[in-house]
Amino acid sequence: MLTTQRKQLILQRLATQGQVLAKALAEELGTSEDTIRRDLRELAQEGKLQRVHGGALPASAAVADLGTRSTVSPADKVALGRAGAAMVKPGQLVLLDGGTTALQVARHLAPDLRATVVTHSPTVAVALAQHAHIEVIMLGGRLYRHSMVNVGAAVIDAATRYRADLFFMGVTGVHPDAGLSTGDGEEADVKRALSARAAETVVLASSEKLMAASAFVIAPVNTLAALVVPSGTAAATVRGFKKLGVSVQTAT
């Protein structure tokens, strides 16, 4: 089988089965594991998959920049934002990550809600500024333009001053085995620090993030208080998370 044919097969298997095991595929095709690993490495360099120990998982489409991500699964993100906003109770202190789904949470908070929101996203802060009863606190640092969030040691240090009721964590990959992940190391550090300051961490995961993985691991999925997924998410996908004790909710 030619290299291009093997790569096409790998991508087809990822699309239909959700993972590729290098050893099993090498045995099936009668080739060496080194050959399959080289194919996986080259496909990973093209951004078409995420290598993991023993094989590969689908790469998340959510690693694109903020402008591109705003066009991906827009209806899902509105529903997820509405579901997230409904979780916020009066008087709570909430940590709100950056990203397109977090922006929908900000936009759907009840007009009469009185609460405090701490965010490291200028975009989210501007959206919250329109909400008369929300106290908005920004965590400053170096602006990471790709995701339009502040990152770095200053953000992590500032986060230690708060004890939050909820943290809405933005991720690019949610997988039972590969955990919660994102495409940038500094972002992963900030997300991990913010989660440590919250009583409960929630992920609102649009469909392109489910069963996908990115390069930088944040935490295992069973650290979540809840995973909220779009309506119509496959039962097998939900089952995989529930087996790990994750509370899975559906946004309607």
Side-chain angles (χ1 to χ4, degrees), residues 164-183:
D165 298 288
L166 277 174
F167 171 39
F168 290 104
M169 178 194 288
V171 300
T172 58
V174 188
H175 192 280
D177 299 323
L180 307 168
S181 56
T182 192

Side-chain angles (χ1 to χ4, degrees), residues 4 37 56 105 226:
T4 53
R37 282 195 291 267
V105 174

